[in-house]
Amino acid sequence: MTATQLTSENERTVVDAVPKQLLIGGSWRDAEGGRTLDVEDPSTGTPLASVADASPADAMRALDAAVAAQASWAAHPPRERGEILRRAFEQIVARSDELALLMTLEMGKPLSESKAEVTYAAEFFRWFSEEAVRIEGRFAVAPNGAGRMLVTKQPVGPCLLITPWNFPMAMGTRKIGPAVAAGCTMVVKPASQTPLSMLALARILEDSGLPDGVLNLITTSSSGKAMGPLIADRRARKLSFTGSTEVGRKLMEQGSQQLLRLSMELGGNAPFLVFDDADLDAAVEGAVLAKMRNIGEACTAANRFHVAGPVAGEFSERLAEKLGAMKVGRGTEDGVQVGPLIDATQRGKVADLVTDAIGRGAKAVVGGQAREGAGYFYNPTVLADVPGDAKLLKEEIFGPVAPVASFDDEAAAIAAANDTEYGLVAYVFTRDIKRALRVSEALETGMVGLNQGIVSNAAAPFGGIKHSGFGREGGREGINEYLETKYIAINL
Ligand code: ADP
């Protein structure tokens, strides 16, 4: 590791407090050969810390530990599994300031947003602490009256949980929470860009009484090489993945060898529809949230705005005014609302998409370029008159860029919204209740935000259709991903 850019004692303290090793079978260990990987501060591009860089053999040891712990964990009383999550929830809440600072340092988002993610992350543990004791089956008389039927739920077994960098803690808790509640053991692999939040979370679970081997944590710079053999190992029973559609497809292919149970939360290309009867103030507020939360780096981010012709101009102007006034900077600074993008590659992708749209005739109402200097900053951008063939209407932008296109009528709005292979979420702004339901039902997505710019809620089933994946996380549905149904036929 070279020089760091930590600007305060506080920052140094929170980074130092995080374990940097692998957690396998209840003990923290170095990676084979003592290899490490650097974690960067995206606001400066300089290293923040180094963590263990697991080899395939390390990863296999983590699976061995998960397999060894599975039987006793499945037999652990559900109430106690729930209590562990409840204690972890309380610890996360109590330590939310330091966890938020840690998250901002490795991921870049403003402190207030990190704080919101920490709260959201904790909510999954609270929710699933309550679900652990509500795993129910049924008992019935067979139709012929002679036999009885008992239906019961059991944990699927050792799980592989792979998470992305954009929500470093919440994407962990919404997999770990239901896995713990259901009685599954696991190998968790966070993204190499943001492992610190997950390492801190693992320590919290340990302190909350999670038995050794239930959660094993692998940080690695070679995800494919480390996880491939685990996905191919028949002792692993489930893979839950959040990340790109491209990688999800690859993992699904690998998992097909042993018919692995899968949950896939993949890319999005969310349309944001504004009808001419919408409350425009509410639509602009909702648009800022749906676009700018997490610097636009969310699979639920509004990717494209389809606005009714008569209000499209005013909407673009007002959105541009809001986005143009947002303060860009290091997420730790007071008043900053827009942090850096995660790395140079991501910023390059955003810049290419904007250049393409402008080349095809779109107009930049505000922004339109990267910010000079250190870090991976991109200025908030609104593009008006975006033509239908612009690439950013088809591809996930993952940055602070809002393209606005107009539509003529409701049918055209629905057709434009559904003209994508993705199907995670859509946003609809209208004051007409009939239209609200008609459009919501016609949208090919797993979720709809009706007159609101955020849908995420631990109590709701989060997930997509089409190329956005399958399976649901959170809500009453979330725990089912970690349970098998067994039917016992009883002869009387
Ligand atoms: P993003 O575009 O958000 O970085 P990715 O799909 O590349 O999304 O990564 C999401 C997660 O999947 C990360 O933890 C990453 O390390 C992991 N990952 C990427 N490629 C593979 C792979 N071939 N096998 C297993 N995990 C992978």
Side-chain angles (χ1 to χ4, degrees), residues 162-165 189-191 193 223-224 227 241-244 247 250-251:
I162 301 180
T163 61
W165 49 261
K189 194 210 78 67
Q193 295 95 327
S223 322
M227 296 307 286
F241 172 75
T242 300
S244 61
V247 173
K250 210 185 302 176
L251 297 181

Side-chain angles (χ1 to χ4, degrees), residues 103-104 107-111 113-114 117 166-168 294-295 331 339-340:
M103 187 181 290
T104 289
M107 189 276 167
K109 71 179 89 179
L111 268 181
E113 289 205 56
S114 291
E117 182 185 337
N166 60 342
F167 290 98
N294 226 42
I295 323 152

Side-chain angles (χ1 to χ4, degrees), residues 116-406:
E117 182 185 337
V118 169
T119 304
Y120 176 48
E123 282 303 323
F124 284 103
F125 280 0
R126 173 151 68 172
W127 178 262
F128 286 107
S129 75
E130 294 157 352
E131 291 296 280
V133 290
R134 316 218 191 292
I135 300 168
E136 291 163 354
R138 63 193 158 93
F139 181 80
V141 176
N144 68 4
R148 299 292 181 266
M149 306 192 300
L150 181 62
V151 179
T152 181
K153 297 282 171 80
Q154 294 181 315
V156 294
C159 298
L160 308 176
L161 310 179
I162 301 180
T163 61
W165 49 261
N166 60 342
F167 290 98
M169 187 173 283
M171 298 303 97
T173 57
R174 81 178 179 191
K175 298 184 193 306
I176 296 166
V180 167
C184 296
T185 61
M186 64 207 88
V187 176
V188 180
K189 194 210 78 67
S192 56
Q193 295 95 327
T194 57
L196 301 177
S197 296
M198 195 73 86
L199 286 159
L201 185 69
R203 171 58 62 79
I204 286 175
L205 281 161
E206 225 184 355
D207 293 346
S208 302
L210 193 70
D212 292 352
V214 174
L215 182 146
N216 305 278
L217 178 56
I218 288 297
T219 49
T220 179
S221 60
S222 38
S223 322
K225 283 197 188 115
M227 296 307 286
L230 274 54
I231 295 170
D233 192 303
R234 65 185 176 85
R235 297 173 303 162
R237 294 295 169 78
K238 177 180 177 67
L239 167 65
S240 178
F241 172 75
T242 300
S244 61
T245 297
E246 188 192 347
V247 173
R249 196 177 279 123
K250 210 185 302 176
L251 297 181
M252 211 173 150
E253 220 173 283
Q254 290 174 27
S256 71
Q257 290 307 309
Q258 53 137 341
L259 298 166
L260 197 61
R261 253 187 89 167
L262 303 171
S263 302
M264 292 275 158
E265 205 268 274
L266 309 176
N269 178 359
F272 189 107
L273 307 182
V274 182
F275 289 92
D276 53 7
D277 57 27
D279 172 344
L280 216 56
D281 292 334
V284 171
E285 286 297 328
V288 173
L289 275 177
K291 180 73 256 179
M292 298 305 289
R293 175 172 173 241
N294 226 42
I295 323 152
E297 293 172 315
C299 49
T300 51
N303 206 62
R304 50 204 166 97
F305 293 83
H306 298 282
V307 185
V311 292
E314 187 185 347
F315 177 85
S316 304
E317 293 293 335
R318 289 174 62 179
L319 185 60
E321 211 173 289
K322 295 263 187 201
L323 265 54
M326 291 179 92
K327 187 172 170 195
V328 181
R330 190 171 194 248
T332 50
E333 288 164 18
D334 269 354
V336 162
Q337 295 160 294
V338 186
L341 295 177
I342 192 72
D343 53 27
T345 313
Q346 189 57 35
R347 184 168 72 168
K349 275 190 206 161
V350 172
D352 288 350
L353 288 172
V354 171
T355 306
D356 169 79
I358 291 175
R360 292 175 199 266
K363 290 191 209 67
V365 190
V366 72
Q369 65 294 108
R371 206 180 72 164
E372 300 289 318
Y376 310 113
F377 294 94
Y378 196 90
N379 289 325
T381 298
V382 175
L383 300 175
D385 303 331
V386 177
D389 60 351
K391 279 193 206 155
L392 80 184
L393 296 182
K394 305 271 178 238
E395 294 176 24
E396 192 171 34
I397 302 170
F398 244 58
V401 175
V404 183
S406 61

Side-chain angles (χ1 to χ4, degrees), residues 69-91:
Q70 180 58 58
S72 63
W73 181 236
H76 213 79
R79 175 67 79 198
E80 284 180 25
R81 298 201 300 259
E83 295 290 345
I84 292 166
L85 290 175
R86 177 74 203 190
R87 285 195 290 274
F89 158 74
E90 281 163 9
Q91 270 205 58

